[in-house]
Amino acid sequence: MIAPALTKNQSLVFDVLVRAEQPISAYTILDRLRDHGFRAPLQVYRALDKLTEAGLVHRLESLNAFVACAHRNASCCGGHSHGTVAFAICTGCGQADEFHDHEIDHRLTVWAKARNFRPEKTTIEIRGLCARCAA
Amino acid sequence: MIAPALTKNQSLVFDVLVRAEQPISAYTILDRLRDHGFRAPLQVYRALDKLTEAGLVHRLESLNAFVACAHRNASCCGGHSHGTVAFAICTGCGQADEFHDHEIDHRLTVWAKARNFRPEKTTIEIRGLCARCAA
DNA sequence: ATTCATTGCGTTATGCTATAACGTGTGGCA
DNA sequence: TGCCACACGTTATAGCATAACGCAATGAAT
Ligand SMILES: [Zn+2]
Ligand SMILES: [Zn+2]
Ligand SMILES: [Zn+2]
Ligand SMILES: [Zn+2]
Protein backbone atom coordinates (compact mmCIF):
# COMPACT_ATOMS: atom_id res chain seq x y z
CA MET A 1 0.00 0.00 0.00
CA ILE A 2 1.64 3.21 -1.18
CA ALA A 3 0.10 5.68 1.19
CA PRO A 4 1.13 9.32 0.92
CA ALA A 5 1.60 11.16 4.19
CA LEU A 6 -1.54 12.67 5.54
CA THR A 7 -2.13 16.39 5.29
CA LYS A 8 -2.89 18.40 8.37
CA ASN A 9 -6.66 18.26 7.90
CA GLN A 10 -6.60 14.57 7.13
CA SER A 11 -4.59 13.88 10.27
CA LEU A 12 -6.97 15.89 12.41
CA VAL A 13 -10.02 14.07 11.06
CA PHE A 14 -8.35 10.69 11.37
CA ASP A 15 -7.37 11.46 14.93
CA VAL A 16 -10.92 12.30 15.90
CA LEU A 17 -12.10 9.01 14.43
CA VAL A 18 -9.45 6.97 16.21
CA ARG A 19 -10.29 8.59 19.53
CA ALA A 20 -14.02 8.10 19.01
CA GLU A 21 -13.66 4.32 18.88
CA GLN A 22 -17.07 4.13 17.31
CA PRO A 23 -18.80 5.49 14.22
CA ILE A 24 -19.48 9.22 14.19
CA SER A 25 -20.99 11.49 11.60
CA ALA A 26 -19.14 14.02 9.50
CA TYR A 27 -20.89 16.83 11.31
CA THR A 28 -19.85 15.46 14.68
CA ILE A 29 -16.28 15.44 13.43
CA LEU A 30 -16.74 19.02 12.30
CA ASP A 31 -17.92 20.05 15.76
CA ARG A 32 -14.96 18.39 17.41
CA LEU A 33 -12.57 20.23 15.15
CA ARG A 34 -13.94 23.74 15.43
CA ASP A 35 -11.24 24.58 17.93
CA HIS A 36 -8.71 23.57 15.32
CA GLY A 37 -10.06 25.97 12.76
CA PHE A 38 -12.62 23.83 10.97
CA ARG A 39 -15.58 25.88 9.83
CA ALA A 40 -17.30 24.02 7.00
CA PRO A 41 -18.49 20.46 6.22
CA LEU A 42 -16.36 20.28 3.10
CA GLN A 43 -13.20 20.40 5.12
CA VAL A 44 -14.34 17.21 6.78
CA TYR A 45 -15.72 15.51 3.70
CA ARG A 46 -12.62 16.15 1.65
CA ALA A 47 -10.44 14.61 4.32
CA LEU A 48 -12.82 11.67 4.68
CA ASP A 49 -12.67 11.02 0.95
CA LYS A 50 -8.92 10.69 1.03
CA LEU A 51 -8.91 8.61 4.19
CA THR A 52 -11.44 6.14 2.82
CA GLU A 53 -9.51 5.96 -0.44
CA ALA A 54 -6.44 5.09 1.58
CA GLY A 55 -8.38 2.44 3.49
CA LEU A 56 -7.82 4.10 6.85
CA VAL A 57 -11.48 4.86 7.34
CA HIS A 58 -14.71 3.09 6.49
CA ARG A 59 -18.06 4.61 5.79
CA LEU A 60 -21.08 2.92 7.35
CA GLU A 61 -23.90 3.33 4.89
CA SER A 62 -26.68 2.41 7.25
CA LEU A 63 -25.57 5.08 9.72
CA ASN A 64 -24.24 7.81 7.46
CA ALA A 65 -21.23 7.67 9.70
CA PHE A 66 -17.53 6.99 9.56
CA VAL A 67 -15.19 4.83 11.60
CA ALA A 68 -11.45 4.28 11.74
CA CYS A 69 -10.35 0.97 10.31
CA ALA A 70 -9.89 -1.64 13.02
CA HIS A 71 -7.48 -3.72 10.96
CA ARG A 72 -4.72 -1.28 10.34
CA ASN A 73 -2.10 -3.73 11.48
CA ALA A 74 -3.66 -6.94 10.24
CA SER A 75 -1.89 -8.68 7.42
CA CYS A 76 -4.84 -10.87 6.53
CA CYS A 77 -5.69 -10.38 2.87
CA GLY A 78 -3.10 -7.65 2.57
CA GLY A 79 -4.46 -5.58 5.39
CA HIS A 80 -7.95 -6.64 4.39
CA SER A 81 -7.84 -4.19 1.55
CA HIS A 82 -8.33 -6.97 -0.97
CA GLY A 83 -11.26 -8.42 0.89
CA THR A 84 -14.65 -7.14 1.75
CA VAL A 85 -15.19 -5.80 5.22
CA ALA A 86 -18.31 -6.39 7.26
CA PHE A 87 -19.66 -4.61 10.30
CA ALA A 88 -21.86 -5.64 13.18
CA ILE A 89 -23.40 -2.47 14.50
CA CYS A 90 -25.12 -2.35 17.86
CA THR A 91 -28.17 -0.13 17.84
CA GLY A 92 -27.96 0.02 21.61
CA CYS A 93 -24.47 1.25 22.38
CA GLY A 94 -23.32 2.29 18.93
CA GLN A 95 -20.31 0.00 18.85
CA ALA A 96 -19.32 -1.27 15.42
CA ASP A 97 -17.38 -4.49 15.12
CA GLU A 98 -15.36 -4.82 11.95
CA PHE A 99 -14.71 -8.28 10.59
CA HIS A 100 -13.89 -10.19 7.47
CA ASP A 101 -15.16 -13.49 6.16
CA HIS A 102 -13.47 -15.22 3.27
CA GLU A 103 -16.41 -17.39 2.46
CA ILE A 104 -18.82 -14.48 2.16
CA ASP A 105 -16.30 -12.68 0.05
CA HIS A 106 -16.00 -15.76 -2.13
CA ARG A 107 -19.74 -16.19 -2.57
CA LEU A 108 -20.18 -12.60 -3.62
CA THR A 109 -17.33 -12.91 -6.07
CA VAL A 110 -18.84 -16.03 -7.56
CA TRP A 111 -22.20 -14.36 -7.92
CA ALA A 112 -20.64 -11.37 -9.63
CA LYS A 113 -18.46 -13.42 -11.98
CA ALA A 114 -21.40 -15.52 -13.10
CA ARG A 115 -23.18 -12.35 -14.19
CA ASN A 116 -20.21 -10.37 -15.44
CA PHE A 117 -20.93 -7.82 -12.78
CA ARG A 118 -17.85 -5.84 -11.87
CA PRO A 119 -17.90 -4.97 -8.16
CA GLU A 120 -16.33 -1.75 -7.01
CA LYS A 121 -17.40 -1.46 -3.43
CA THR A 122 -19.29 -3.85 -1.22
CA THR A 123 -21.22 -2.98 1.90
CA ILE A 124 -22.10 -5.55 4.56
CA GLU A 125 -23.68 -4.27 7.74
CA ILE A 126 -25.54 -6.22 10.38
CA ARG A 127 -27.57 -4.05 12.68
CA GLY A 128 -28.75 -5.48 15.96
CA LEU A 129 -27.88 -5.76 19.61
CA CYS A 130 -24.47 -6.71 20.91
CA ALA A 131 -24.11 -9.28 23.69
CA ARG A 132 -24.01 -6.66 26.41
CA CYS A 133 -26.98 -4.67 25.15
CA ALA A 134 -29.12 -7.74 24.45
CA ALA A 135 -28.76 -9.07 27.98
CA MET B 1 -47.27 -13.58 6.11
CA ILE B 2 -50.31 -11.81 7.50
CA ALA B 3 -50.32 -8.69 5.42
CA PRO B 4 -53.09 -6.16 6.00
CA ALA B 5 -54.52 -4.51 2.93
CA LEU B 6 -52.65 -1.46 1.83
CA THR B 7 -54.07 1.97 2.46
CA LYS B 8 -54.54 4.37 -0.40
CA ASN B 9 -51.25 6.18 0.18
CA GLN B 10 -49.36 2.94 0.59
CA SER B 11 -50.79 1.61 -2.66
CA LEU B 12 -49.85 4.76 -4.51
CA VAL B 13 -46.28 4.66 -3.24
CA PHE B 14 -45.94 0.96 -3.94
CA ASP B 15 -47.28 1.46 -7.43
CA VAL B 16 -44.70 4.11 -8.19
CA LEU B 17 -41.94 1.79 -7.01
CA VAL B 18 -43.18 -1.15 -9.06
CA ARG B 19 -43.38 0.98 -12.19
CA ALA B 20 -39.93 2.47 -11.59
CA GLU B 21 -38.27 -0.94 -11.84
CA GLN B 22 -35.22 0.53 -10.19
CA PRO B 23 -34.39 2.25 -6.93
CA ILE B 24 -35.75 5.77 -6.52
CA SER B 25 -35.55 8.23 -3.67
CA ALA B 26 -38.40 9.23 -1.39
CA TYR B 27 -38.41 12.69 -2.88
CA THR B 28 -38.68 11.30 -6.39
CA ILE B 29 -41.68 9.32 -5.26
CA LEU B 30 -43.12 12.49 -3.78
CA ASP B 31 -42.73 14.32 -7.07
CA ARG B 32 -44.43 11.54 -8.97
CA LEU B 33 -47.39 11.63 -6.63
CA ARG B 34 -48.05 15.35 -6.51
CA ASP B 35 -50.84 14.92 -9.00
CA HIS B 36 -52.42 12.48 -6.58
CA GLY B 37 -52.46 14.97 -3.76
CA PHE B 38 -49.12 14.30 -2.11
CA ARG B 39 -47.62 17.46 -0.69
CA ALA B 40 -45.10 16.51 1.99
CA PRO B 41 -42.23 14.04 2.44
CA LEU B 42 -43.87 12.48 5.47
CA GLN B 43 -46.68 11.13 3.40
CA VAL B 44 -44.11 9.16 1.45
CA TYR B 45 -41.96 8.13 4.40
CA ARG B 46 -44.90 6.87 6.40
CA ALA B 47 -46.03 4.70 3.52
CA LEU B 48 -42.48 3.46 2.96
CA ASP B 49 -42.19 2.46 6.61
CA LYS B 50 -45.22 0.25 6.36
CA LEU B 51 -44.22 -1.21 3.03
CA THR B 52 -40.75 -2.13 4.23
CA GLU B 53 -42.22 -3.60 7.41
CA ALA B 54 -44.45 -5.72 5.22
CA GLY B 55 -41.47 -6.80 3.13
CA LEU B 56 -42.88 -5.35 -0.08
CA VAL B 57 -40.17 -2.76 -0.37
CA HIS B 58 -36.46 -2.67 0.41
CA ARG B 59 -34.36 0.28 1.37
CA LEU B 60 -30.94 0.58 -0.26
CA GLU B 61 -28.68 2.16 2.31
CA SER B 62 -25.88 3.04 -0.05
CA LEU B 63 -28.28 4.98 -2.27
CA ASN B 64 -30.78 6.38 0.20
CA ALA B 65 -33.34 4.92 -2.15
CA PHE B 66 -36.14 2.39 -2.19
CA VAL B 67 -37.07 -0.44 -4.49
CA ALA B 68 -39.99 -2.83 -4.81
CA CYS B 69 -39.17 -6.36 -3.73
CA ALA B 70 -38.29 -8.55 -6.69
CA HIS B 71 -39.22 -11.77 -4.92
CA ARG B 72 -42.82 -11.16 -4.14
CA ASN B 73 -43.83 -14.51 -5.57
CA ALA B 74 -40.79 -16.53 -4.62
CA SER B 75 -41.32 -19.20 -2.04
CA CYS B 76 -37.62 -19.61 -1.27
CA CYS B 77 -37.05 -19.15 2.45
CA GLY B 78 -40.67 -18.17 2.94
CA GLY B 79 -40.64 -15.47 0.33
CA HIS B 80 -37.08 -14.61 1.34
CA SER B 81 -38.42 -12.90 4.41
CA HIS B 82 -36.49 -15.26 6.65
CA GLY B 83 -33.28 -14.80 4.76
CA THR B 84 -31.07 -11.87 4.13
CA VAL B 85 -31.40 -10.11 0.84
CA ALA B 86 -28.49 -8.78 -1.16
CA PHE B 87 -28.34 -6.27 -3.98
CA ALA B 88 -25.99 -5.73 -6.87
CA ILE B 89 -26.35 -2.09 -7.84
CA CYS B 90 -25.02 -0.76 -11.11
CA THR B 91 -23.56 2.71 -10.79
CA GLY B 92 -23.91 3.10 -14.54
CA CYS B 93 -27.55 2.42 -15.29
CA GLY B 94 -28.99 2.35 -11.79
CA GLN B 95 -30.37 -1.16 -12.02
CA ALA B 96 -30.48 -3.10 -8.76
CA ASP B 97 -30.46 -6.86 -8.84
CA GLU B 98 -31.93 -8.50 -5.77
CA PHE B 99 -30.68 -11.92 -4.77
CA HIS B 100 -30.31 -14.27 -1.88
CA ASP B 101 -27.48 -16.55 -0.87
CA HIS B 102 -27.96 -19.19 1.77
CA GLU B 103 -24.28 -19.60 2.45
CA ILE B 104 -23.73 -15.91 3.11
CA ASP B 105 -26.75 -15.90 5.33
CA HIS B 106 -25.35 -18.88 7.17
CA ARG B 107 -21.92 -17.37 7.69
CA LEU B 108 -23.38 -14.19 9.09
CA THR B 109 -25.58 -16.17 11.42
CA VAL B 110 -22.62 -18.19 12.63
CA TRP B 111 -20.60 -15.06 13.24
CA ALA B 112 -23.44 -13.50 15.21
CA LYS B 113 -24.17 -16.60 17.27
CA ALA B 114 -20.54 -16.98 18.26
CA ARG B 115 -20.61 -13.45 19.70
CA ASN B 116 -24.14 -13.43 21.08
CA PHE B 117 -24.91 -10.65 18.69
CA ARG B 118 -28.61 -10.46 17.92
CA PRO B 119 -29.13 -9.33 14.32
CA GLU B 120 -32.17 -7.28 13.44
CA LYS B 121 -31.51 -6.13 9.93
CA THR B 122 -28.73 -6.96 7.55
CA THR B 123 -27.62 -4.91 4.59
CA ILE B 124 -25.61 -6.36 1.71
CA GLU B 125 -25.00 -4.16 -1.27
CA ILE B 126 -22.48 -4.58 -4.05
CA ARG B 127 -21.92 -1.46 -6.07
CA GLY B 128 -20.26 -1.74 -9.41
CA LEU B 129 -20.93 -2.06 -13.12
CA CYS B 130 -23.40 -4.50 -14.61
CA ALA B 131 -22.44 -6.59 -17.64
CA ARG B 132 -23.94 -4.14 -20.10
CA CYS B 133 -22.42 -1.03 -18.53
CA ALA B 134 -18.97 -2.61 -18.09
CA ALA B 135 -18.69 -3.57 -21.75
C1' DA C 1 -74.47 4.95 22.43
C1' DT C 2 -70.36 6.66 24.70
C1' DT C 3 -65.81 6.11 25.68
C1' DC C 4 -61.29 4.99 24.55
C1' DA C 5 -57.31 3.41 21.97
C1' DT C 6 -55.30 2.79 17.55
C1' DT C 7 -54.17 4.05 13.19
C1' DG C 8 -53.77 6.78 9.19
C1' DC C 9 -53.55 11.27 7.41
C1' DG C 10 -52.23 16.39 6.46
C1' DT C 11 -49.34 20.40 7.50
C1' DT C 12 -45.54 23.24 9.08
C1' DA C 13 -41.25 23.57 10.60
C1' DT C 14 -36.84 21.91 11.42
C1' DG C 15 -32.69 19.13 11.45
C1' DC C 16 -29.18 16.27 9.41
C1' DT C 17 -26.26 14.84 5.41
C1' DA C 18 -23.69 16.05 1.26
C1' DT C 19 -22.08 18.67 -2.70
C1' DA C 20 -21.64 22.75 -6.19
C1' DA C 21 -19.08 26.54 -7.40
C1' DC C 22 -15.85 29.85 -6.70
C1' DG C 23 -11.33 31.57 -5.44
C1' DT C 24 -6.51 31.24 -3.02
C1' DG C 25 -2.04 29.47 -2.20
C1' DT C 26 1.71 26.25 -2.68
C1' DG C 27 5.12 23.08 -4.63
C1' DG C 28 6.94 20.50 -8.56
C1' DC C 29 8.50 20.80 -13.09
C1' DA C 30 9.12 21.83 -18.23
C1' DT D 1 8.59 31.92 -16.13
C1' DG D 2 4.59 29.56 -17.11
C1' DC D 3 2.04 25.70 -16.16
C1' DC D 4 -0.26 22.05 -13.59
C1' DA D 5 -1.92 19.43 -9.72
C1' DC D 6 -3.54 19.58 -5.34
C1' DA D 7 -4.96 20.96 -0.87
C1' DC D 8 -7.49 24.40 1.29
C1' DG D 9 -11.18 28.05 2.66
C1' DT D 10 -15.81 30.04 2.03
C1' DT D 11 -20.56 30.65 0.73
C1' DA D 12 -24.47 28.83 -0.93
C1' DT D 13 -27.39 25.19 -2.13
C1' DA D 14 -29.15 20.56 -2.76
C1' DG D 15 -30.90 16.24 -0.94
C1' DC D 16 -32.61 13.17 2.80
C1' DA D 17 -35.37 12.51 7.05
C1' DT D 18 -38.05 13.49 11.22
C1' DA D 19 -40.40 16.31 15.18
C1' DA D 20 -44.57 18.01 16.66
C1' DC D 21 -49.03 19.39 16.17
C1' DG D 22 -53.91 18.42 15.17
C1' DC D 23 -57.76 16.02 12.83
C1' DA D 24 -60.55 12.04 11.26
C1' DA D 25 -61.92 7.28 10.87
C1' DT D 26 -62.06 2.79 12.77
C1' DG D 27 -63.13 -0.65 15.92
C1' DA D 28 -63.49 -2.62 20.29
C1' DA D 29 -65.08 -2.41 25.33
C1' DT D 30 -68.22 -0.71 28.68
ZN1 LIG E 1 -10.88 -1.86 7.94
ZN1 LIG F 1 -24.33 -2.71 22.37
ZN1 LIG G 1 -37.20 -8.72 -1.64
ZN1 LIG H 1 -25.60 -1.01 -15.66
Side-chain angles (χ1 to χ4, degrees), chain A residues 58 69-71 80 85 98:
Chain A
H58 298 292
C69 176
H71 295 154
H80 86 42
V85 184
E98 178 178 346

Side-chain angles (χ1 to χ4, degrees), chain B residues 19-89:
Chain B
R19 283 184 217 275
E21 290 181 340
Q22 67 175 230
I24 53 178
S25 77
Y27 277 72
T28 300
I29 296 172
L30 175 57
D31 285 339
R32 296 193 186 171
L33 287 176
R34 292 206 187 270
D35 293 344
H36 292 266
F38 275 51
R39 317 278 317 173
L42 230 65
Q43 297 174 279
V44 177
Y45 282 110
R46 290 203 268 234
L48 286 171
D49 281 348
K50 296 299 180 183
L51 291 170
T52 52
E53 262 178 42
L56 294 171
V57 164
H58 298 292
R59 173 183 165 83
L60 299 184
E61 301 289 352
S62 67
L63 292 180
N64 292 328
F66 302 84
V67 68
C69 176
H71 294 154
R72 288 189 297 286
N73 302 318
S75 57
C76 154
C77 291
H80 86 41
S81 55
H82 295 243
T84 295
V85 183
F87 290 90
I89 303 164

